[in-house]
Amino acid sequence: MRFAPVLIPLLAGARSRLASMAASAAALPIIQDSRGVELAGDALTARLKEKRVALYFSAGWCPMCTSFEPSLQTFRKAAEQSGKPLEIIYVGSDRSKADQGQRASALNMMQVPFDGEARANLKRAHKVWPGAEVVQFGMGRRSGVPALVVLGANSADELAFVAAESLGAKALGDWPLDAGEGLWK
């Protein structure tokens, strides 16, 4: 019985960490893997754990996007090799579900489903969409594509903005890889 006072705080801490992990996954919309299979709950939490997470706004028909992506993939690989793994979630502006699926697969990125309102909601929330979608979303954007929104740890809150449309590959220097608040737990 004399171990009970020690165990109670440990168990409470474990419950708190589990609740925090569940809350982090719940902060995001429905996410699919690169093949279009929905990731939820523990599977999504495990995939994001100990990684820096960003939303990647892009489109396969966009030449600026496709020319930026080799630099993004090199950056991603270098970050992983330096012990700072990234998880990038594709928020597509592709013209079809098949096009988006092919892009997510080719880039090896999780994706926000093509169907439903989640993509549109993220575009509105972060004010990022291509010029081709101005009729749908209006003129009040801060950037077109490509762009990345780096998320804070365990939340959908924005930690940093990577303005790849205007700065190209050098915008990747704006990603705060060393920021502890950007590491999902």
Side-chain angles (χ1 to χ4, degrees):
M1 291 294 165
R2 55 180 208 208
F3 295 109
V6 173
L7 288 175
I8 291 171
L10 287 174
L11 292 173
R15 278 194 298 268
S16 174
R17 283 189 298 281
L18 288 173
S20 174
M21 287 171 62
S24 65
L28 295 171
I30 294 171
I31 302 295
Q32 297 173 336
D33 67 12
S34 61
R35 298 177 325 257
V37 176
E38 186 175 320
L39 296 170
D42 293 342
L44 180 58
T45 300
R47 180 91 180 251
L48 300 177
K49 186 175 180 173
E50 302 300 322
K51 294 183 180 175
R52 289 134 183 94
V53 179
L55 302 172
Y56 177 48
F57 296 85
S58 181
W61 51 261
C62 166
M64 289 176 67
C65 300
T66 56
S67 66
F68 169 72
E69 286 159 2
S71 297
L72 178 59
Q73 296 294 48
T74 299
F75 178 81
R76 186 181 189 185
K77 185 176 182 180
E80 181 142 356
Q81 289 173 343
S82 69
K84 299 172 183 173
L86 312 177
E87 194 64 63
I88 302 173
I89 301 169
Y90 185 72
V91 183
S93 288
D94 298 286
R95 294 193 171 109
S96 72
K97 184 176 183 175
D99 288 347
Q100 178 176 305
Q102 289 172 350
R103 298 263 306 135
S105 180
L107 295 168
N108 192 27
M109 292 180 184
M110 294 190 297
Q111 61 184 314
V112 176
F114 185 83
D115 297 324
E117 290 296 313
R119 286 182 317 130
N121 292 341
L122 287 170
K123 291 173 187 181
R124 283 185 193 101
H126 296 288
K127 298 183 183 289
V128 178
W129 55 84
E133 294 178 343
V134 166
V135 171
Q136 180 181 359
F137 296 109
M139 298 295 292
R141 66 183 184 155
R142 69 168 161 183
S143 177
V145 295
L148 291 121
V149 172
V150 180
L151 302 178
N154 300 338
S155 75
D157 296 335
E158 184 174 320
L159 176 63
F161 183 69
V162 178
E165 179 193 37
S166 60
L167 300 175
K170 67 181 176 181
L172 292 167
D174 294 335
W175 189 318
L177 285 176
D178 294 323
E181 65 269 20
L183 188 63
W184 283 54
K185 301 190 189 315

